[in-house]
């Protein structure tokens, strides 16, 4: 932990990709960070690297979220309590059309992207209100703004998370809790497409084939860090971040 830091964040989805990069970015700027993810081994390695506090937890499970809240309260007690909650955890499963989509995949995506985000927010919202200068940042996706073929399940989950974000901003402005949405487009991470495509490495690699400069997790983490470090009276309601090669959801430049 960094002594006497006045910025205290919880970051979910911290075992890889954008979540891990966000922990690194915040720690490099002197934040106190509790890093949250299901995979304890990866989380502990990140904590050893960065000095963050590891808290293994599954945000879809009520008992885990309750334990997370208790651990965060204890960890940040001497620093004035948590002031920033960053929900990175999420994911996609499958690319099937609606007519043949797996209900189980849809349920998993809704559970992780929407209900998991909800549970984490509910756990920490009382403390963010009491702090008087709280921030919630939810990582959604451009998939929550524009639907596409084969993406309906992920679209539905991210549209839901996007709606949650907008309603929360309206509800919490009177408590001086700002609510930020970061919606990335194509980001080349080690696991997102691999998990979505059931572990098919070849198919996952084709997602990025020919794209000269897709976004990297560190790019998105820099945007997240910038947004939460702005003065409290500034709220970046929604930040859409894409690589230049992705002019829109339907237009992606691929080199031969």
């Amino acid at each position: 932990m960094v002594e006497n830091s006045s910025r205290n964040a919880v970051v979910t989805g911290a075992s890889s990709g954008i979540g891990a990069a966000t922990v690194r970015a915040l720690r490099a700027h002197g934040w106190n960070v509790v890093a949250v993810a299901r995979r304890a081994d990866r989380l502990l390695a990140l904590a050893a690297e960065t000095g963050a506090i590891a808290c293994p937890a599954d945000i879809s499970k009520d008992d885990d979220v309750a334990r997370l809240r208790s651990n965060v309260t204890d960890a940040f007690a001497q620093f004035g309590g948590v002031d920033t909650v960053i929900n990175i955890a999420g994911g996609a499963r499958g690319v099937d059309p609606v007519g043949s989509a797996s209900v189980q995949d849809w349920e998993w995506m809704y559970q992780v992207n929407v209900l998991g985000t909800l549970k984490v927010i509910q756990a920490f919202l009382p403390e963010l209100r009491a702090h008087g200068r709280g921030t919630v940042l939810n990582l959604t996706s451009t998939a929550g703004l524009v639907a596409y073929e084969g993406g309906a399940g992920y679209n539905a989950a991210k549209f839901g998370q996007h709606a949650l974000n907008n309603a929360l901003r309206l509800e919490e402005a009177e408590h001086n809790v700002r609510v930020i949405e970061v919606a990335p487009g194509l980001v080349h991470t080690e696991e997102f497409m691999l998990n979505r495509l059931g572990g098919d490495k070849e198919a996952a690699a084709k997602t990025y084939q020919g794209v000269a400069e897709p976004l990297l997790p560190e790019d998105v983490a820099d945007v997240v860090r910038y947004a939460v470090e702005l003065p409290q009276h500034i709220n970046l309601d929604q930040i859409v971040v894409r690589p230049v090669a992705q002019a829109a959801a339907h237009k992606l430049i691929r080199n031969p």
Side-chain angles (χ1 to χ4, degrees), residues 99-212:
S100 57
S102 164
V103 172
Q104 289 75 24
D105 285 350
W106 278 54
E107 289 175 339
W108 181 87
M109 286 185 280
Y110 192 81
Q111 185 73 31
V112 173
N113 292 283
V114 182
L115 296 183
T117 297
L118 172 65
K119 290 177 180 182
V120 172
I121 290 171
Q122 288 182 334
F124 293 106
L125 198 53
E127 191 166 352
L128 294 177
R129 290 169 173 170
H131 187 281
R133 299 174 67 82
T135 297
V136 176
L137 186 148
N138 296 319
L139 188 86
T140 61
S141 169
T142 53
L145 308 176
V146 178
Y148 55 89
E149 292 172 287
Y154 188 53
N155 291 144
K158 287 301 184 181
F159 267 87
Q161 194 182 27
H162 167 71
L164 181 161
N165 205 75
N166 285 349
L168 183 68
R169 185 181 303 111
L170 296 171
E171 294 165 357
E172 295 305 319
E174 65 187 89
H175 302 293
N176 201 33
V177 175
R178 61 181 176 180
V179 180
I180 301 166
E181 176 182 6
V182 175
L186 185 68
V187 184
H188 192 172
T189 67
E190 59 182 311
E191 293 186 323
F192 178 81
M193 286 306 299
L194 193 63
N195 291 337
R196 185 172 196 174
L197 298 173
D200 187 333
K201 293 182 179 180
E202 184 177 350
K206 287 181 180 178
T207 303
Y208 312 103
Q209 189 173 5
V211 181

